[in-house]
Amino acid sequence: MARKHILHMLTPLRQMSPFDVNMALDAGFDAVIPYVDVSLGDVTGLVQDAIFSRPPDAGVDTGIFIGGKDVSLALDMFDAAKKAMVPPFQVSVFADPAGSFTTAAAMVAKVEKALEQHSGRGLKGTAVAIFGATGVVGFCTAVIAAREGAEVTIVGHDGLERVEKIAAEIRDRFGVGVTPADGSTDAGKTAIVQASEVVLSAAKAGVQVISKAHLQGAGRLLVGADVNAVPPAGIEGLAVNANGDPIDATAAVGIGPLAIGNVKYKVEYGLFKKMIEADKTVTFDFQDAFTLARQFAK
């Protein structure tokens, strides 16, 4: 009788995301068990309960998923889960808080493809500005883009304080540099957009952060992308289904939330599938998500 594929889903929130539960079950897990209100200190005990309850050769059929809405906490929980292993007792671990790892991976992969197709260049040395950088998707997008050699600016809608802290955390945790910028005024936004070759909107759903007025005179702009599918668009003039289409009032092309979401869906589903089909235990974070996203970006 074949062993069951079991996924234990940990979140520090009061509820596990139904999106992630559905995705895991559709990918083929036989059982998905949510654990809520999980603290960092709880992770070791939960993981070791999971690894010691099955023989070592069943570790590949057991997975830990880490959710929530805090990137830093999720990464700490991810590290704690890996450290809790006692070889040969090990299980697979996948972190994707609020879908941020897979969404950020999809956004950067789609932008990279658009740059290649429309401008004949990649991310390295490209000036990238991220609006909504204090959120989970913006944070991960900044890290992925910076690791690929982009010159990343993270924009604070409420001033510099929060984005300066995020820039410091990215530097300390990942060893890459990003530049904080004040986007609290229209003049500040316009200056940032005009200095950028790529602008990314990762702000809250239903919030327009970049208007056509901000885009006027953005002669360097090559690509704009937005993850917000709730009207109004995060970037005015960028259609939800844009996939390399021109952005109004610019010479740039746009990537809309539906094009990004299509890749994000495939990446999360694909990583769950890889957990199930692996011959040995695996661990997946945002970098693994980006590697897979590149395969799906068209």
Side-chain angles (χ1 to χ4, degrees), residues 103-186:
T103 301
M107 175 182 267
V108 179
K110 288 293 293 182
V111 166
E112 180 182 56
K113 182 59 68 174
L115 283 169
E116 291 172 356
Q117 292 176 339
H118 297 280
S119 303
R121 60 186 295 175
L123 288 164
K124 188 173 183 180
T126 298
V128 176
I130 302 171
F131 292 79
T134 56
V136 288
V137 173
F139 182 105
C140 294
T141 300
V143 175
I144 295 171
R147 280 185 153 188
E148 292 304 309
E151 298 173 0
V152 176
T153 297
I154 55 174
V155 184
H157 74 276
D158 54 358
L160 281 171
E161 184 177 355
R162 290 202 295 162
V163 284
E164 285 178 337
K165 289 179 180 177
I166 289 169
E169 181 176 356
I170 289 173
R171 181 193 63 236
D172 294 343
R173 188 184 282 270
F174 301 104
V176 293
V178 301
T179 302
D182 183 354
S184 60
T185 66
D186 285 331

Side-chain angles (χ1 to χ4, degrees), residues 107 201-208 226-235 240 256-257:
M107 175 182 267
S201 174
K204 289 181 180 179
V207 176
Q208 185 177 100
D226 180 18
V227 295
N228 173 28
V230 178
I235 301 175
V240 292

Side-chain angles (χ1 to χ4, degrees), residues 14-29:
R14 291 189 303 111
Q15 295 151 339
M16 176 56 68
S17 164
F19 187 104
D20 296 323
V21 172
N22 289 351
M23 192 74 74
L25 285 168
D26 284 345
F29 278 100

Side-chain angles (χ1 to χ4, degrees), residues 236-285:
E236 187 176 9
L238 178 56
V240 292
N241 60 349
N243 190 18
D245 304 319
I247 300 175
D248 292 350
T250 77
V253 297
I255 307 294
L258 297 188
I260 294 169
N262 182 50
V263 174
K264 178 265 187 297
Y265 179 95
K266 291 177 180 178
V267 171
E268 184 172 350
Y269 179 92
L271 291 177
F272 278 134
K273 200 77 174 172
K274 283 178 177 288
M275 291 177 80
I276 294 167
E277 296 174 350
D279 295 324
K280 59 182 181 180
T281 57
V282 294
T283 57
F284 296 138
D285 63 9

Side-chain angles (χ1 to χ4, degrees), residues 190-220:
T190 299
I192 293 165
V193 172
Q194 290 184 352
S196 301
E197 293 164 302
V198 172
V199 293
L200 307 178
S201 174
K204 289 181 180 179
V207 176
Q208 185 177 100
V209 292
I210 301 172
S211 69
K212 288 183 180 179
H214 299 134
L215 292 168
Q216 288 178 358
R220 300 185 66 199

